[in-house]
Amino acid sequence: MKDDDAQEMIDEADDEDEEISEKKGNGELVKEAVSDLDKELNKIRKERDSLNSEIKKIDNIIKNAEEVGKKVERMRYQKRIARLDEIEGKLLDKRRKLQQKDDSLNKRMSKVKGIKEKLSGV
């Protein structure tokens, strides 16, 4: 509730109080004033409760957004890990093939060395 609206309501209530005071006794005026104040207090309480409810909704939205953000980030990391695993697999395969070639060359070199030794012995 805006301050201007509240002041306007107070002014209106004061005007009404002046009119009523001419017609009713002081006891009735006090009861009516208390009743009016109770009504205003109830309006204020309802508005406060409504605002608190909105705050809770916003808090939940923020919490959910944070969770979604974390899930998205986690998925990005998982995709990156999968790409790294794929690259690692390819590199291991290349390494295995190169190792096989090296082993094959070493066997050939050993055979050539053996043949060379036999030829030099002849």
Side-chain angles (χ1 to χ4, degrees):
M1 186 178 290
K2 295 182 181 177
D3 292 338
D4 294 337
D5 292 339
Q7 186 59 45
E8 186 177 312
M9 292 175 74
I10 292 170
D11 292 342
E12 288 175 9
D14 289 343
D15 292 342
E16 290 174 9
D17 287 345
E18 289 174 14
E19 291 175 14
I20 295 172
S21 64
E22 295 172 4
K23 298 178 184 174
K24 298 181 180 178
N26 286 338
E28 280 295 313
L29 290 176
V30 171
K31 286 181 184 178
E32 193 170 313
V34 168
S35 176
D36 289 343
L37 289 174
D38 285 341
K39 289 176 187 175
E40 286 303 313
L41 287 170
N42 283 333
K43 286 180 186 178
I44 290 170
R45 288 179 186 131
K46 285 179 184 178
E47 185 175 353
R48 183 188 60 222
D49 290 344
S50 175
L51 292 173
N52 280 329
S53 176
E54 289 300 316
I55 288 172
K56 287 180 183 178
K57 288 178 187 176
I58 290 170
D59 286 345
N60 285 334
I61 289 169
I62 290 170
K63 182 180 176 183
N64 290 338
E66 288 173 352
E67 288 177 15
V68 168
K70 288 177 184 177
K71 287 179 182 178
V72 168
E73 187 174 353
R74 185 173 189 270
M75 287 173 47
R76 273 193 238 140
Y77 288 148
Q78 286 176 327
K79 285 181 182 180
R80 190 169 177 194
I81 288 170
R83 281 195 314 254
L84 292 173
D85 287 344
E86 183 181 336
I87 292 169
E88 181 184 29
K90 288 178 182 180
L91 292 175
L92 287 172
D93 191 45
K94 284 182 181 182
R95 181 175 174 252
R96 181 184 53 81
K97 288 178 181 178
L98 287 174
Q99 188 66 45
Q100 287 175 347
K101 283 183 181 181
D102 185 51
D103 291 345
S104 176
L105 285 173
N106 285 336
K107 283 182 185 177
R108 287 182 185 171
M109 291 299 287
S110 293
K111 286 181 182 178
V112 169
K113 201 176 194 181
I115 293 172
K116 194 175 183 182
E117 286 177 5
K118 286 182 184 178
L119 289 177
S120 22
V122 174

